[in-house]
Amino acid sequence: MAIIQANEVTKLGLIISLLDGTADVRCEQSTVADLDLFAEDQQITGQDGDRPLLAADTEEGKGKKSIQNTKNGLTGCTHVVEKVYALTEEQIRMLEDSGMQVRGLGEDVSEFYQSINVMIRFKAKMLKYSLRDKVTGEESIVTAKSVARFLPKTKVGDLFLGDFFHKKYAMHVPFNRYSQALRLDGCNISRQDLDRYHMQVYERIWKMEELLEEKARASEVLYIDEVPTVTQKSPKKKNYIWVFNTDEFAWYRYLEGRAGADPLGHFKDYTGFCMTDAYAAYPAYLHAATLCACLTHCRRRYVDYRRITGSEAAVKFPLDCFGKIYHEDGILRDRLKAGEMTEEQFLEDRNAICLPILKDLKQWCDNCALTGYGRSVPLKRAVTYTLNNREKIENTFLSAKTDLDNNRSERLVKVIKLGSKNWITHGSEEGARATALMYSLMETAKMHDLNPRDYLSYLFMKGAVSASWELGREILEPLMPWNVNQEDLSIVTGEYQFIANNMIPIEEYEARMAEIQAQKG
């Protein structure tokens, strides 16, 4: 990095203070290495070599040199949008009043893809200026800043990132198919590019996992389930993604195996209610929690008996019991949500009806066990499951906040299975963890009535302003889905509107550029 003298430091400080961070500033002696971490990886050259030309480089300081972009343009686009970033008239006037001679020097151009149902080539033009100190004759270069991008050294913008993550995790389109579809239109983004973008995003926002865990630990009721998946480089044939959730968030966690120590070890001191299935790891690790059994899992075994035997007579009573419980709970819970009754009234009224039904169900199961289950293995399996989980079933009725079943977790793990049918395996453990985090963000955004595609674009647009590659918790906390509302997403819809209003068909744009070049020639 070039050595900057004391008078240069004073001049730089003056220029920076006047521009208020809206432009990049370099002294004449500075090199490209002075640029910040997120400077665009773009080669802008003049006729004399690698560095931009100054007015002082020309004869008598008056010759005008053109600045040209040596980077190949992006292909496969249907439209082009240009956005010009420049110093305001007020900023130029302040610079001139402070003793600077301001002269236009050309422009830097950054090109990247955006997507709003069509592929857009977005051209951000950043005007350059030469500042000459009228007293000393020293010269500096000022380049107007464009809006920061989340992955600045790539070919994609934040809207494109939000769109392709949505296609991957909401529409279950694998990267290779998405890349093939882009290639049909001539768009030069490969599957390897998409994989790289995926991992770079995860590297920047992985601390969101910590915020999701804190949210889970602070919940009064926690619903937990797991689903198998496969990772290519894992030593185990079957891996698992666990989901911890409530009606406010869904936290997906990838782990190599199903052993409870890794996913449940952080919740040993959790004292809330946990709705789970009968997997033995839950009571083994969740010592302080009140474990509840899912009534759907109990009922499902009696339905299996009916399906296997083709007869309902033997299991009509337990099925009727479960039906009455769900019916009464549904009526009272609707009144609770409507504000017609308090949680205490709901709990009292529901238990007055449902607990006697549970008592009758237990008596029926005891009698069935005494008679040898009618020599039916499916019936024995159903009755044994109900009796073994009787205490956990009763725990479900200790809190008005607890659902009767774990169906919300069943729905959340279903998206993992749909994805697995399309991309079969994860390439690596890091990739699996990145996948789990993206599912967490998208499903949580849905719970808060946010458009998941727009939410992800909002996350990238707001996170792009950070100068650190790995975003800290203080930046990510306001960007968690439960802290974002519809009004916040207006910056995303505003960007969509700007592109829609300013995009030009690629053929028309190229004709304009050819006409301009002909006039210059």
Side-chain angles (χ1 to χ4, degrees):
M1 185 176 292
I3 300 176
I4 300 178
Q5 303 298 328
N7 62 334
E8 295 174 356
V9 174
T10 303
K11 182 180 67 174
L12 278 175
L14 173 62
I15 296 173
I16 291 172
S17 64
L18 292 174
L19 298 179
D20 194 24
T22 60
D24 290 319
V25 184
R26 290 194 291 119
C27 287
E28 182 180 354
Q29 295 88 352
S30 300
T31 65
V32 176
D34 291 325
L35 298 179
D36 62 13
L37 173 64
F38 293 105
E40 191 67 32
D41 187 16
Q42 189 89 351
Q43 297 297 322
I44 306 295
T45 64
Q47 297 178 11
D48 290 351
D50 293 334
R51 67 183 176 86
L53 297 175
L54 302 173
D57 294 329
T58 64
E59 182 180 355
E60 298 181 357
K62 296 182 180 180
K64 186 176 180 181
K65 296 287 186 176
S66 62
I67 303 298
Q68 61 182 5
N69 184 0
T70 61
K71 207 171 187 180
N72 293 330
L74 302 180
T75 62
C77 306
T78 59
H79 294 74
V80 177
V81 172
E82 286 189 349
K83 193 169 188 177
V84 178
Y85 299 87
L87 299 184
T88 64
E89 293 182 1
E90 182 181 0
Q91 289 174 325
I92 294 176
R93 179 177 52 78
M94 288 190 298
L95 289 169
E96 291 176 339
D97 291 345
S98 64
M100 301 289 176
Q101 180 182 357
V102 183
R103 179 179 300 171
L105 190 62
E107 62 190 23
D108 282 353
V109 179
S110 174
E111 290 189 342
F112 50 91
Y113 290 110
Q114 293 284 39
S115 176
I116 57 167
N117 297 326
V118 293
M119 290 297 293
I120 304 295
R121 189 168 81 193
F122 196 100
K123 297 173 69 71
K125 291 187 174 181
M126 297 151 283
L127 299 189
K128 300 165 67 70
Y129 303 85
S130 170
L131 304 184
R132 181 192 292 273
D133 193 313
K134 295 178 181 178
V135 177
T136 64
E138 295 175 350
E139 198 154 0
S140 303
I141 296 175
V142 169
T143 305
K145 281 186 177 179
S146 64
V147 175
R149 284 190 287 140
F150 197 74
L151 298 181
K153 294 181 178 291
T154 65
K155 297 181 286 188
V156 296
D158 298 334
L159 298 184
F160 182 94
L161 285 176
D163 182 71
F164 103 80
F165 275 120
H166 181 263
K167 283 185 169 65
K168 167 84 171 182
Y169 294 111
M171 304 175 69
H172 312 292
V173 179
F175 286 159
N176 63 320
R177 293 183 193 170
Y178 188 37
S179 176
Q180 289 171 7
L182 295 176
R183 194 177 300 120
L184 290 176
D185 295 325
C187 184
N188 56 342
I189 297 182
S190 66
R191 180 186 63 80
Q192 290 77 12
D193 289 332
L194 298 175
D195 284 334
R196 186 172 67 255
Y197 302 157
H198 187 263
M199 295 311 303
Q200 287 176 340
V201 167
Y202 176 68
E203 289 170 5
R204 295 203 70 186
I205 66 173
W206 72 269
K207 287 189 177 180
M208 280 183 156
E209 292 181 347
E210 298 177 353
L211 298 170
L212 286 163
E213 180 176 351
E214 291 178 4
K215 189 76 169 178
R217 292 174 61 84
S219 302
E220 296 183 37
V221 181
L222 201 56
Y223 301 85
I224 311 175
D225 203 357
E226 77 285 337
V227 61
T229 186
V230 178
T231 302
Q232 292 178 4
K233 297 181 180 180
S234 173
K236 297 185 178 181
K237 293 183 178 180
K238 186 183 292 187
N239 312 114
Y240 284 84
I241 290 181
W242 293 66
V243 57
F244 299 76
N245 66 98
T246 66
D247 57 355
E248 294 185 345
F249 71 93
W251 176 34
Y252 293 85
R253 290 192 66 194
Y254 168 80
L255 294 159
E256 277 196 343
R258 199 187 182 199
D262 287 332
L264 302 177
H266 294 189
F267 293 88
K268 287 184 177 180
D269 57 347
Y270 177 74
T271 57
F273 289 83
C274 282
M275 174 64 70
T276 68
D277 55 27
Y279 179 38
Y282 296 117
Y285 291 96
L286 302 178
H287 302 296
T290 301
L291 296 180
C292 305
C294 172
L295 263 66
T296 296
H297 280 77
C298 295
R299 180 182 179 278
R300 188 177 300 159
R301 282 158 174 77
Y302 296 100
V303 174
D304 288 342
Y305 170 87
R306 182 177 61 188
R307 176 177 54 82
I308 294 171
T309 63
S311 173
E312 189 182 79
V315 294
K316 187 177 186 306
F317 182 80
L319 290 176
D320 287 345
C321 288
F322 287 118
K324 292 176 183 177
I325 291 173
Y326 270 96
H327 177 72
E328 296 298 333
D329 178 86
I331 294 176
L332 294 173
R333 196 169 292 277
D334 287 342
R335 293 180 56 193
L336 175 63
K337 292 179 179 178
E340 298 177 3
M341 60 193 314
T342 64
E343 289 187 358
E344 292 75 14
Q345 292 173 329
F346 167 82
L347 195 61
E348 181 179 353
D349 293 351
R350 184 185 67 173
N351 290 355
I353 300 172
C354 295
L355 290 184
I357 298 176
L358 285 178
K359 184 177 180 181
D360 293 341
L361 177 62
K362 179 184 179 302
Q363 183 63 46
W364 182 88
C365 289
D366 288 337
N367 293 337
C368 190
L370 290 175
T371 58
Y373 309 102
R375 296 182 180 180
S376 172
V377 173
L379 183 59
K380 179 179 180 180
R381 184 183 298 117
V383 172
T384 302
Y385 187 91
T386 303
L387 292 175
N388 289 345
N389 292 280
R390 178 181 59 83
E391 182 178 352
K392 296 177 185 177
I393 293 174
E394 293 176 353
N395 287 343
T396 304
F397 295 84
L398 296 178
S399 172
K401 298 182 182 298
T402 308
D403 292 342
L404 296 180
D405 51 48
N406 202 20
N407 285 351
R408 65 170 66 243
S409 295
E410 299 280 349
R411 290 191 291 270
L412 289 171
V413 299
K414 186 178 293 184
V415 299
I416 303 293
K417 297 304 294 181
L418 289 174
S420 298
K421 290 179 180 295
N422 286 273
W423 53 77
I424 312 300
T425 65
H426 302 286
S428 66
E429 293 181 17
E430 281 295 306
R433 281 191 281 270
T435 292
L437 179 57
M438 296 311 300
Y439 273 127
S440 300
L441 296 178
M442 295 196 64
E443 294 302 319
T444 304
K446 293 177 185 177
M447 293 179 181
H448 294 272
D449 297 324
L450 301 175
N451 182 318
R453 182 190 61 185
D454 291 352
Y455 165 73
L456 290 177
S457 297
Y458 171 80
L459 167 64
F460 301 143
M461 293 171 72
K462 301 296 284 188
V465 301
S466 174
S468 300
W469 177 252
E470 186 178 290
L471 299 183
R473 293 162 54 92
E474 69 283 356
I475 296 176
L476 295 174
E477 175 64 32
L479 303 180
M480 298 303 289
W482 52 81
N483 291 326
V484 177
N485 55 45
Q486 290 290 347
E487 185 177 351
D488 295 328
L489 300 186
S490 62
I491 66 170
V492 178
T493 54
E495 187 69 6
Y496 281 129
Q497 192 65 41
F498 172 83
I499 292 176
N501 292 339
N502 293 276
M503 63 185 189
I504 304 171
I506 189 71
E507 297 83 1
E508 180 181 340
Y509 177 80
E510 291 177 347
R512 288 186 185 182
M513 292 299 101
E515 182 179 349
I516 292 174
Q517 291 297 327
Q519 292 175 354
K520 289 182 178 180

